[in-house]
Amino acid sequence: MAEGAGIPSFAALAARADPPLDELALSMAGELRGIGADAVRGALERLDALGAELAAALRAGADPEAEARACADLLAVRHGFAGDAKQYDDPANSMLDLVLERRRGLPIVLSVVYVEVARRAGVALAGVGLPGHYVVGHFGASPPVLLDPFAGGAPVAGEHPPEQVRPWGAQETALRMLNNLVGSYRRRGNIAAAIRAAEMRLELPLDRRLRDAFETELRSVRARLN
């Protein structure tokens, strides 16, 4: 993280038992793009303002489906947050501060926006990492209410095995974000950034199998510099 950015480094946050998702995502941008205190503060203030707006829009006694719908209406309809289908693979779509500015991003980072705005309004949304797609779910309902932030907050169609529909923690969300970035940087020939993103994955808690696989991949990426 850039000096004086106001939140701990990625490594320090990754080592916590339950790090704040917004800070973990912003510290990732700090490591990979060198964003400083003003950018971090601005991103957190945007989330705070959106959270206050959502809290004001909620009806007293709203059920989980209404709460989830209110979040989608605020972010997708009123503020225009949606997926970036034209430049899907752009690393900017994985940076929380830029996604908040541009209102475009990957499914996983748009989901971070939904989750963090909802949290500030007292709405229990969580990220859900489905195979090949990342969405959000309100787990106050049974089955959970699933929304797709990439598709403008539309309901997620189809049936999904119950074991796949579970809340994801901040660290496994960050890991999936870093997986995206390693691939994106490699495809663009930005090997130095790919190496740093690959190194950051190893700062997260991993089981032995994953750690071995990521260490092997990191050695492979480093070898491209030689």
Side-chain angles (χ1 to χ4, degrees):
M1 194 58 169
E3 184 69 23
I7 61 175
S9 68
F10 180 84
L13 287 166
R16 291 187 185 178
D18 187 20
L21 178 58
D22 52 358
E23 293 188 10
L24 192 62
L26 287 169
S27 70
M28 187 183 306
E31 294 282 351
L32 292 168
R33 290 182 28 254
I35 68 170
D38 289 345
V40 170
R41 184 165 51 250
L44 293 173
E45 287 173 353
R46 287 187 188 94
L47 290 171
D48 290 345
L50 290 167
E53 196 172 342
L54 177 58
L58 290 172
R59 300 192 317 271
D63 62 21
E65 186 168 358
E67 288 186 337
R69 190 71 258 153
C71 188
D73 287 344
L74 173 74
L75 293 173
V77 179
R78 190 178 306 174
H79 289 282
F81 282 89
D84 187 350
K86 292 182 178 179
Q87 301 182 77
Y88 187 89
D89 195 38
D90 190 330
N93 287 328
S94 291
M95 304 295 169
L96 178 56
D97 61 310
L98 296 181
V99 171
L100 285 165
E101 290 177 9
R102 299 165 59 242
R103 304 180 189 188
R104 292 292 181 272
L106 287 182
I108 192 167
V109 188
L110 290 167
S111 294
V112 171
V113 174
Y114 272 60
V115 169
E116 284 299 314
V117 169
R119 179 179 66 81
R120 286 161 164 80
V123 175
L125 285 191
V128 180
L130 298 176
H133 199 41
Y134 197 101
V135 299
V136 297
H138 194 313
F139 286 82
S142 184
V145 178
L146 297 181
L147 300 178
D148 183 355
F150 193 81
V156 175
E159 297 291 327
H160 302 279
E163 63 271 16
Q164 293 179 357
V165 183
R166 61 172 182 82
W168 275 42
Q171 289 153 325
E172 60 183 335
T173 297
L175 178 58
R176 190 151 165 173
M177 291 170 67
L178 287 167
N179 286 340
N180 291 336
L181 282 164
V182 170
S184 180
Y185 286 134
R186 290 187 73 171
R187 286 186 288 275
R188 282 164 171 74
N190 189 344
I191 302 305
I195 288 171
R196 183 64 195 117
E199 290 169 343
M200 289 166 67
R201 291 190 304 195
L202 297 174
E203 294 170 349
L204 292 162
L206 303 169
D207 63 32
R208 186 70 257 172
R209 179 187 61 82
L210 265 184
R211 182 169 295 279
D212 289 346
F214 288 154
E215 287 174 345
T216 298
E217 184 177 4
L218 178 56
R219 288 193 293 271
S220 173
V221 178
R222 283 173 172 162
R224 293 188 59 184
L225 289 178
N226 299 329

